[in-house]
Amino acid sequence: MTLYDGETEDLTSVWQDIHILTLSASSGNAYTVISDQLVDYSEYMQANDLAAFAKKYSKNQNLFGIDSDLPDTAYTDSVPNTQDEGNLPGDTSPQPRASQISEGRMLNYVDEWTTGPVDTFNTEYPIFKSGGNCTNFVSQAVHAGGQALVPYNLVTKYFTNVWDYDTEKNDSSRTWSNADYNYKFMLNHSGSFTAASSVFKTYMGSIIYYDWIDSSGANNPDGTLDHANIVVGVSSDGMRYISQKSPLRANIPYSTFLLKAYSEGKTKINTVELNLIY
């Protein structure tokens, strides 16, 4: 890497700022940084659509200044490929956004309610004493991201095409608080998620579901999903980081999560994964 030695503005920065670097290929595998633009982290995280945000500030390069003809990096950074952004220059056939969800708002919610000295719950939503808060929290995050509610009643509560909650009655549709039902709604009815082939084909905003307990309560998969958490980060070496409720896990490596599960006797674990649609 050759550092930019031209004139630049004085950029006062802190760790959470986003820098957009424009790179120019030099000899061999080297690159020269030809510009460095500072974008405030809070503005980045509040963006409704990260792909549009990246294009707006980097003039049709991605957020990290990598040329668009380089290999796909959808699984190693937070800016996914997209077919929308009809208002951007060069779009000849604008398409409606496939997903209702803003990844930034979703992950902001996860961070707000998993980071802190003690585990706290958002009282605007139901809080279940007999289990279900792991999926309850996933639903909250997806809702905070913008997923539309689908009301339920006593007749439709167990249908997989509804998705809603009732804080006053401390109640919800089965799809809101049960991992197995939640997976079926998100995959088949939300319009915002698609199946991933493995944990290591997920990215930020993905949901991982776990089958590790049978109907008798023993640590044995039985084909029914029991738990869910959210991918909140992907390291340069491909490690996924997850956050969840019940119990609280805040931005821990997936390998650490598995070790904790193994220590609890869950040595047989099946998973299914959903990625956001862009």
Side-chain angles (χ1 to χ4, degrees), residues 20-134:
I20 297 177
L21 303 179
T22 303
L23 306 181
S24 176
S26 302
S27 59
N29 295 321
Y31 290 86
T32 299
V33 178
I34 59 174
S35 70
D36 182 352
Q37 182 179 1
L38 177 63
V39 178
D40 184 77
Y41 178 80
S42 61
E43 183 183 357
Y44 161 68
M45 290 304 291
Q46 291 170 11
N48 289 336
D49 193 300
L50 300 184
F53 179 87
K55 289 180 180 179
K56 173 184 176 182
Y57 278 92
S58 58
K59 298 180 180 179
N60 293 322
Q61 293 176 332
N62 78 15
L63 187 62
F64 303 99
I66 301 173
D67 292 336
S68 59
D69 61 349
L70 292 179
D72 188 343
T73 57
Y75 297 130
T76 57
D77 65 47
S78 61
V79 183
N81 294 331
T82 180
Q83 295 180 357
D84 62 348
E85 317 316 331
N87 61 339
L88 295 175
D91 284 345
T92 57
S93 56
Q95 300 294 322
R97 182 173 174 80
S99 172
Q100 303 180 50
I101 299 175
S102 159
E103 174 193 311
R105 292 200 304 267
M106 179 180 172
L107 295 182
N108 264 345
Y109 185 89
V110 174
D111 183 66
E112 178 181 0
W113 291 99
T114 59
T115 304
V118 295
D119 190 9
T120 57
F121 289 85
N122 187 349
T123 56
E124 294 181 3
Y125 293 98
I127 303 171
F128 304 111
K129 295 182 179 179
S130 58
N133 282 314
C134 62

Side-chain angles (χ1 to χ4, degrees), residues 96-271:
R97 182 173 174 80
S99 172
Q100 303 180 50
I101 299 175
S102 159
E103 174 193 311
R105 292 200 304 267
M106 179 180 172
L107 295 182
N108 264 345
Y109 185 89
V110 174
D111 183 66
E112 178 181 0
W113 291 99
T114 59
T115 304
V118 295
D119 190 9
T120 57
F121 289 85
N122 187 349
T123 56
E124 294 181 3
Y125 293 98
I127 303 171
F128 304 111
K129 295 182 179 179
S130 58
N133 282 314
C134 62
T135 308
N136 180 18
F137 182 67
V138 168
S139 288
Q140 291 174 28
V142 173
H143 183 222
Q147 181 70 39
L149 298 173
V150 184
Y152 72 100
N153 55 41
L154 289 176
V155 175
T156 63
K157 179 175 180 176
Y158 289 86
F159 289 11
T160 58
N161 62 344
V162 298
W163 183 71
D164 202 355
Y165 65 95
D166 188 333
T167 304
E168 183 176 344
K169 295 180 180 179
N170 204 53
D171 189 34
S172 72
S173 66
R174 194 72 166 168
T175 54
W176 183 275
S177 56
N178 177 275
D180 202 65
Y181 280 69
N182 184 268
Y183 171 76
K184 293 171 183 175
F185 171 81
M186 294 300 173
L187 177 62
N188 299 316
H189 302 290
S190 72
S192 297
F193 289 91
T194 187
S197 57
S198 77
V199 169
F200 296 101
K201 293 295 184 180
T202 59
Y203 47 86
M204 293 170 67
S206 298
I207 307 173
I208 305 175
Y209 298 87
Y210 304 82
D211 174 16
W212 55 23
I213 300 174
D214 63 27
S215 57
S216 70
N219 293 323
N220 186 53
D222 65 354
T224 299
L225 300 170
D226 311 296
H227 182 63
N229 52 33
I230 297 173
V231 178
V232 295
V234 181
S235 68
S236 59
D237 61 359
M239 178 57 67
R240 271 57 186 169
Y241 286 75
I242 62 93
S243 291
Q244 66 171 49
K245 290 283 192 182
S246 301
L248 176 66
R249 302 281 187 259
N251 194 25
I252 66 169
Y254 184 69
S255 58
T256 301
F257 170 79
L258 289 181
L259 288 174
K260 289 180 180 291
Y262 294 158
S263 70
E264 297 168 353
K266 300 179 179 71
T267 56
K268 297 180 180 179
I269 302 174
N270 295 333
T271 66

